[in-house]
Amino acid sequence: MNRLYSAAPDGYCGDEDNGQTSAWYVFSALGFYPVCPATDQYAIGAPLFRRALLHLTDGRTVTLSAPANSDSCRYIGAISIDGKSYTKTYFTHDELLQGPIISFDMRSQPVKTWGTGAGDVPYSFTNYNYR
């Protein structure tokens, strides 16, 4: 995100015809992205911000918090939603509509045990076992 996007004339790395490139950037900066639009799941990635608020039309607010986030702490160590541990590597649309407080515990090294449980991965058309 910090290498392929800028305010320069060639600041987009791809074709921006329908806004997909900028939409990807905004979602990714928040820390999640709808990889498979036919599902209600958003794959989780590292957020760009330490804090972001998403004000929903019904008055609820999604709070994304990653206070330790920095160039040197860009790996997810753990996530909690409303104070409860969350090990899935995706959020569902319904979870986001509840207006949760999502806390990212960012680390300087990858945590290879987070999100590795049998039900932690998002939908995939394939049923390949990566273990």
Side-chain angles (χ1 to χ4, degrees), residues 61-100:
T61 299
V62 177
T63 303
L64 303 159
S65 176
N69 197 10
S70 69
D71 284 343
S72 61
C73 287
R74 59 177 136 184
Y75 300 100
I76 297 171
I79 290 179
S80 65
I81 294 183
D82 295 328
K84 297 177 185 171
S85 178
Y86 190 84
T87 61
K88 294 178 182 174
T89 58
Y90 64 92
F91 301 127
T92 67
H93 191 71
D94 286 340
E95 288 170 334
L96 295 174
L97 289 179
Q98 299 306 308

CSV table of all heavy atoms in Angstrom, one decimal, residues 61-100:
chain,number,residue,atom,x,y,z
A,61,THR,N,-21.7,2.2,15.3
A,61,THR,CA,-20.3,2.6,14.8
A,61,THR,C,-19.4,1.3,15.0
A,61,THR,O,-19.4,0.7,16.0
A,61,THR,CB,-19.7,3.7,15.6
A,61,THR,OG1,-20.6,4.9,15.5
A,61,THR,CG2,-18.3,4.0,15.2
A,62,VAL,N,-18.7,1.0,13.9
A,62,VAL,CA,-17.7,0.0,14.0
A,62,VAL,C,-16.4,0.7,14.4
A,62,VAL,O,-16.0,1.7,13.7
A,62,VAL,CB,-17.5,-0.7,12.6
A,62,VAL,CG1,-16.3,-1.7,12.7
A,62,VAL,CG2,-18.8,-1.4,12.2
A,63,THR,N,-15.8,0.3,15.5
A,63,THR,CA,-14.5,0.9,15.9
A,63,THR,C,-13.4,-0.1,15.7
A,63,THR,O,-13.5,-1.3,16.1
A,63,THR,CB,-14.6,1.2,17.4
A,63,THR,OG1,-15.7,2.1,17.7
A,63,THR,CG2,-13.3,1.8,17.9
A,64,LEU,N,-12.4,0.3,14.9
A,64,LEU,CA,-11.2,-0.5,14.6
A,64,LEU,C,-10.1,0.1,15.4
A,64,LEU,O,-9.8,1.3,15.2
A,64,LEU,CB,-11.0,-0.5,13.1
A,64,LEU,CG,-12.1,-1.0,12.3
A,64,LEU,CD1,-12.0,-0.6,10.8
A,64,LEU,CD2,-12.2,-2.5,12.3
A,65,SER,N,-9.5,-0.7,16.2
A,65,SER,CA,-8.4,-0.1,17.1
A,65,SER,C,-7.2,-1.0,17.0
A,65,SER,O,-7.2,-2.2,17.2
A,65,SER,CB,-8.9,-0.1,18.5
A,65,SER,OG,-7.9,0.3,19.4
A,66,ALA,N,-6.0,-0.4,16.6
A,66,ALA,CA,-4.7,-1.1,16.5
A,66,ALA,C,-3.7,-0.1,17.1
A,66,ALA,O,-2.8,0.4,16.4
A,66,ALA,CB,-4.4,-1.5,15.1
A,67,PRO,N,-3.7,0.1,18.4
A,67,PRO,CA,-2.8,1.2,19.0
A,67,PRO,C,-1.3,0.9,18.8
A,67,PRO,O,-0.6,1.9,18.8
A,67,PRO,CB,-3.2,1.2,20.5
A,67,PRO,CG,-3.9,-0.1,20.7
A,67,PRO,CD,-4.5,-0.5,19.4
A,68,ALA,N,-0.9,-0.3,18.7
A,68,ALA,CA,0.5,-0.6,18.5
A,68,ALA,C,1.0,-0.7,17.0
A,68,ALA,O,2.1,-0.9,16.7
A,68,ALA,CB,0.9,-1.9,19.2
A,69,ASN,N,0.0,-0.4,16.2
A,69,ASN,CA,0.3,-0.5,14.7
A,69,ASN,C,1.4,0.5,14.3
A,69,ASN,O,1.4,1.7,14.7
A,69,ASN,CB,-1.0,-0.2,13.9
A,69,ASN,CG,-0.9,-0.6,12.5
A,69,ASN,OD1,0.0,-1.3,12.1
A,69,ASN,ND2,-1.9,-0.2,11.7
A,70,SER,N,2.4,0.0,13.6
A,70,SER,CA,3.5,0.9,13.1
A,70,SER,C,4.2,0.1,12.0
A,70,SER,O,3.8,-1.0,11.7
A,70,SER,CB,4.4,1.2,14.2
A,70,SER,OG,5.2,0.1,14.6
A,71,ASP,N,5.1,0.8,11.3
A,71,ASP,CA,5.9,0.1,10.3
A,71,ASP,C,6.6,-1.1,10.8
A,71,ASP,O,6.8,-2.1,10.1
A,71,ASP,CB,6.9,1.0,9.7
A,71,ASP,CG,6.3,2.0,8.7
A,71,ASP,OD1,5.1,1.8,8.3
A,71,ASP,OD2,6.9,3.0,8.4
A,72,SER,N,7.0,-1.1,12.1
A,72,SER,CA,7.7,-2.2,12.7
A,72,SER,C,6.8,-3.2,13.4
A,72,SER,O,7.2,-4.4,13.7
A,72,SER,CB,8.8,-1.8,13.7
A,72,SER,OG,8.2,-1.1,14.7
A,73,CYS,N,5.5,-2.9,13.6
A,73,CYS,CA,4.5,-3.8,14.2
A,73,CYS,C,3.4,-3.9,13.3
A,73,CYS,O,2.3,-3.2,13.4
A,73,CYS,CB,4.1,-3.2,15.6
A,73,CYS,SG,5.2,-3.4,16.9
A,74,ARG,N,3.5,-4.7,12.3
A,74,ARG,CA,2.5,-4.8,11.2
A,74,ARG,C,1.9,-6.2,11.1
A,74,ARG,O,1.1,-6.5,10.2
A,74,ARG,CB,3.0,-4.4,9.9
A,74,ARG,CG,4.2,-5.2,9.4
A,74,ARG,CD,4.6,-4.7,8.1
A,74,ARG,NE,6.1,-4.6,8.0
A,74,ARG,CZ,6.7,-4.1,7.0
A,74,ARG,NH1,6.0,-3.8,5.9
A,74,ARG,NH2,8.0,-4.0,7.0
A,75,TYR,N,2.1,-7.1,12.1
A,75,TYR,CA,1.6,-8.4,12.1
A,75,TYR,C,0.5,-8.6,13.1
A,75,TYR,O,0.7,-8.1,14.3
A,75,TYR,CB,2.7,-9.5,12.3
A,75,TYR,CG,3.7,-9.5,11.2
A,75,TYR,CD1,5.0,-8.8,11.5
A,75,TYR,CD2,3.5,-10.0,10.0
A,75,TYR,CE1,5.9,-8.8,10.5
A,75,TYR,CE2,4.5,-10.0,9.0
A,75,TYR,CZ,5.7,-9.4,9.3
A,75,TYR,OH,6.7,-9.3,8.3
A,76,ILE,N,-0.6,-9.3,12.8
A,76,ILE,CA,-1.6,-9.5,13.8
A,76,ILE,C,-1.2,-10.6,14.8
A,76,ILE,O,-0.9,-11.7,14.3
A,76,ILE,CB,-2.9,-9.9,13.1
A,76,ILE,CG1,-3.4,-8.7,12.2
A,76,ILE,CG2,-4.0,-10.2,14.1
A,76,ILE,CD1,-4.6,-9.1,11.3
A,77,GLY,N,-1.2,-10.2,16.0
A,77,GLY,CA,-0.9,-11.2,17.1
A,77,GLY,C,-2.2,-11.8,17.6
A,77,GLY,O,-2.2,-13.0,18.0
A,78,ALA,N,-3.2,-11.0,17.7
A,78,ALA,CA,-4.5,-11.4,18.2
A,78,ALA,C,-5.6,-10.4,17.8
A,78,ALA,O,-5.2,-9.2,17.5
A,78,ALA,CB,-4.5,-11.6,19.7
A,79,ILE,N,-6.8,-10.8,17.8
A,79,ILE,CA,-7.9,-9.9,17.6
A,79,ILE,C,-9.0,-10.1,18.7
A,79,ILE,O,-9.2,-11.3,19.1
A,79,ILE,CB,-8.5,-10.1,16.2
A,79,ILE,CG1,-7.6,-9.6,15.1
A,79,ILE,CG2,-9.9,-9.3,16.1
A,79,ILE,CD1,-8.1,-9.7,13.7
A,80,SER,N,-9.6,-9.1,19.1
A,80,SER,CA,-10.8,-9.3,20.0
A,80,SER,C,-11.9,-8.4,19.5
A,80,SER,O,-11.7,-7.4,18.8
A,80,SER,CB,-10.5,-8.9,21.5
A,80,SER,OG,-10.2,-7.5,21.6
A,81,ILE,N,-13.1,-8.9,19.6
A,81,ILE,CA,-14.3,-8.2,19.3
A,81,ILE,C,-15.1,-8.0,20.5
A,81,ILE,O,-15.5,-9.0,21.2
A,81,ILE,CB,-15.1,-9.0,18.2
A,81,ILE,CG1,-14.4,-9.0,16.9
A,81,ILE,CG2,-16.5,-8.3,18.0
A,81,ILE,CD1,-15.1,-9.7,15.7
A,82,ASP,N,-15.4,-6.8,20.9
A,82,ASP,CA,-16.1,-6.4,22.1
A,82,ASP,C,-15.5,-7.1,23.3
A,82,ASP,O,-16.2,-7.6,24.2
A,82,ASP,CB,-17.6,-6.7,22.0
A,82,ASP,CG,-18.2,-5.9,20.9
A,82,ASP,OD1,-17.8,-4.7,20.7
A,82,ASP,OD2,-19.2,-6.4,20.3
A,83,GLY,N,-14.1,-7.2,23.3
A,83,GLY,CA,-13.4,-7.7,24.5
A,83,GLY,C,-13.2,-9.2,24.5
A,83,GLY,O,-12.6,-9.8,25.3
A,84,LYS,N,-13.8,-9.9,23.5
A,84,LYS,CA,-13.8,-11.4,23.4
A,84,LYS,C,-12.8,-11.8,22.3
A,84,LYS,O,-12.8,-11.3,21.2
A,84,LYS,CB,-15.1,-12.0,23.1
A,84,LYS,CG,-16.1,-11.7,24.2
A,84,LYS,CD,-17.5,-12.3,23.9
A,84,LYS,CE,-18.5,-11.9,24.9
A,84,LYS,NZ,-19.9,-12.2,24.5
A,85,SER,N,-11.9,-12.8,22.6
A,85,SER,CA,-11.0,-13.3,21.7
A,85,SER,C,-11.6,-13.7,20.4
A,85,SER,O,-12.7,-14.4,20.4
A,85,SER,CB,-10.2,-14.5,22.3
A,85,SER,OG,-9.3,-15.0,21.4
A,86,TYR,N,-11.0,-13.4,19.3
A,86,TYR,CA,-11.5,-13.7,18.0
A,86,TYR,C,-10.4,-14.3,17.1
A,86,TYR,O,-9.4,-13.7,16.9
A,86,TYR,CB,-12.1,-12.4,17.3
A,86,TYR,CG,-12.8,-12.7,16.0
A,86,TYR,CD1,-14.2,-13.0,16.1
A,86,TYR,CD2,-12.2,-12.5,14.8
A,86,TYR,CE1,-14.9,-13.1,14.9
A,86,TYR,CE2,-13.0,-12.7,13.6
A,86,TYR,CZ,-14.3,-13.0,13.7
A,86,TYR,OH,-15.0,-13.2,12.5
A,87,THR,N,-10.6,-15.6,16.7
A,87,THR,CA,-9.5,-16.3,16.0
A,87,THR,C,-9.7,-16.4,14.5
A,87,THR,O,-8.8,-16.9,13.8
A,87,THR,CB,-9.2,-17.7,16.6
A,87,THR,OG1,-10.4,-18.5,16.5
A,87,THR,CG2,-8.8,-17.5,18.1
A,88,LYS,N,-10.9,-16.1,14.1
A,88,LYS,CA,-11.2,-16.3,12.6
A,88,LYS,C,-10.4,-15.3,11.8
A,88,LYS,O,-10.1,-14.2,12.3
A,88,LYS,CB,-12.7,-16.1,12.3
A,88,LYS,CG,-13.5,-17.2,12.9
A,88,LYS,CD,-15.0,-16.9,12.7
A,88,LYS,CE,-15.8,-18.0,13.3
A,88,LYS,NZ,-17.3,-17.7,13.2
A,89,THR,N,-10.1,-15.6,10.6
A,89,THR,CA,-9.3,-14.7,9.7
A,89,THR,C,-10.2,-14.0,8.8
A,89,THR,O,-9.8,-13.5,7.7
A,89,THR,CB,-8.2,-15.5,9.0
A,89,THR,OG1,-8.9,-16.5,8.2
A,89,THR,CG2,-7.2,-16.1,9.9
A,90,TYR,N,-11.4,-13.8,9.2
A,90,TYR,CA,-12.4,-13.1,8.4
A,90,TYR,C,-13.5,-12.5,9.4
A,90,TYR,O,-13.7,-13.1,10.5
A,90,TYR,CB,-13.1,-13.9,7.4
A,90,TYR,CG,-13.9,-15.1,7.9
A,90,TYR,CD1,-15.3,-15.0,8.2
A,90,TYR,CD2,-13.3,-16.3,8.2
A,90,TYR,CE1,-16.0,-16.0,8.7
A,90,TYR,CE2,-14.0,-17.4,8.7
A,90,TYR,CZ,-15.4,-17.2,9.0
A,90,TYR,OH,-16.1,-18.3,9.5
A,91,PHE,N,-14.1,-11.5,9.0
A,91,PHE,CA,-15.3,-10.9,9.7
A,91,PHE,C,-16.5,-11.2,8.8
A,91,PHE,O,-16.4,-11.3,7.5
A,91,PHE,CB,-15.3,-9.4,9.8
A,91,PHE,CG,-14.1,-8.9,10.6
A,91,PHE,CD1,-13.2,-7.9,10.1
A,91,PHE,CD2,-13.8,-9.4,11.9
A,91,PHE,CE1,-12.2,-7.5,10.8
A,91,PHE,CE2,-12.7,-9.0,12.6
A,91,PHE,CZ,-11.9,-8.0,12.1
A,92,THR,N,-17.7,-11.4,9.4
A,92,THR,CA,-18.9,-11.5,8.6
A,92,THR,C,-19.6,-10.2,8.5
A,92,THR,O,-19.4,-9.3,9.4
A,92,THR,CB,-19.9,-12.6,9.1
A,92,THR,OG1,-20.4,-12.1,10.4
A,92,THR,CG2,-19.2,-13.9,9.3
A,93,HIS,N,-20.4,-10.0,7.5
A,93,HIS,CA,-21.1,-8.7,7.3
A,93,HIS,C,-22.0,-8.5,8.5
A,93,HIS,O,-22.1,-7.4,9.0
A,93,HIS,CB,-21.9,-8.8,6.0
A,93,HIS,CG,-22.5,-7.5,5.6
A,93,HIS,ND1,-21.7,-6.4,5.2
A,93,HIS,CD2,-23.8,-7.0,5.6
A,93,HIS,CE1,-22.5,-5.4,4.9
A,93,HIS,NE2,-23.7,-5.7,5.2
A,94,ASP,N,-22.7,-9.5,9.0
A,94,ASP,CA,-23.6,-9.4,10.2
A,94,ASP,C,-22.8,-9.0,11.4
A,94,ASP,O,-23.3,-8.2,12.2
A,94,ASP,CB,-24.3,-10.7,10.4
A,94,ASP,CG,-25.5,-10.9,9.4
A,94,ASP,OD1,-25.9,-10.0,8.8
A,94,ASP,OD2,-25.9,-12.1,9.3
A,95,GLU,N,-21.6,-9.5,11.6
A,95,GLU,CA,-20.8,-9.1,12.7
A,95,GLU,C,-20.5,-7.6,12.6
A,95,GLU,O,-20.5,-6.9,13.7
A,95,GLU,CB,-19.4,-9.8,12.8
A,95,GLU,CG,-19.6,-11.3,13.2
A,95,GLU,CD,-18.3,-12.1,13.0
A,95,GLU,OE1,-17.5,-11.8,12.1
A,95,GLU,OE2,-18.2,-13.1,13.7
A,96,LEU,N,-20.1,-7.1,11.5
A,96,LEU,CA,-19.8,-5.7,11.3
A,96,LEU,C,-21.0,-4.8,11.5
A,96,LEU,O,-21.0,-3.7,12.0
A,96,LEU,CB,-19.2,-5.4,9.9
A,96,LEU,CG,-17.8,-6.1,9.7
A,96,LEU,CD1,-17.4,-5.9,8.3
A,96,LEU,CD2,-16.8,-5.5,10.7
A,97,LEU,N,-22.2,-5.3,11.1
A,97,LEU,CA,-23.4,-4.5,11.3
A,97,LEU,C,-23.8,-4.3,12.7
A,97,LEU,O,-24.6,-3.4,13.0
A,97,LEU,CB,-24.6,-5.2,10.5
A,97,LEU,CG,-24.5,-5.1,9.0
A,97,LEU,CD1,-25.7,-5.8,8.4
A,97,LEU,CD2,-24.5,-3.7,8.5
A,98,GLN,N,-23.3,-5.1,13.6
A,98,GLN,CA,-23.6,-5.0,15.0
A,98,GLN,C,-22.9,-3.8,15.7
A,98,GLN,O,-23.2,-3.4,16.8
A,98,GLN,CB,-23.2,-6.2,15.8
A,98,GLN,CG,-24.0,-7.5,15.3
A,98,GLN,CD,-25.5,-7.3,15.4
A,98,GLN,OE1,-26.0,-6.9,16.4
A,98,GLN,NE2,-26.1,-7.5,14.2
A,99,GLY,N,-21.9,-3.2,14.9
A,99,GLY,CA,-21.2,-2.0,15.5
A,99,GLY,C,-20.2,-2.4,16.5
A,99,GLY,O,-20.1,-1.8,17.6
A,100,PRO,N,-19.4,-3.4,16.2
A,100,PRO,CA,-18.5,-3.9,17.3
A,100,PRO,C,-17.2,-3.0,17.5
A,100,PRO,O,-16.9,-2.2,16.6
A,100,PRO,CB,-18.0,-5.3,16.7
A,100,PRO,CG,-18.0,-5.0,15.2
A,100,PRO,CD,-19.2,-4.1,15.0
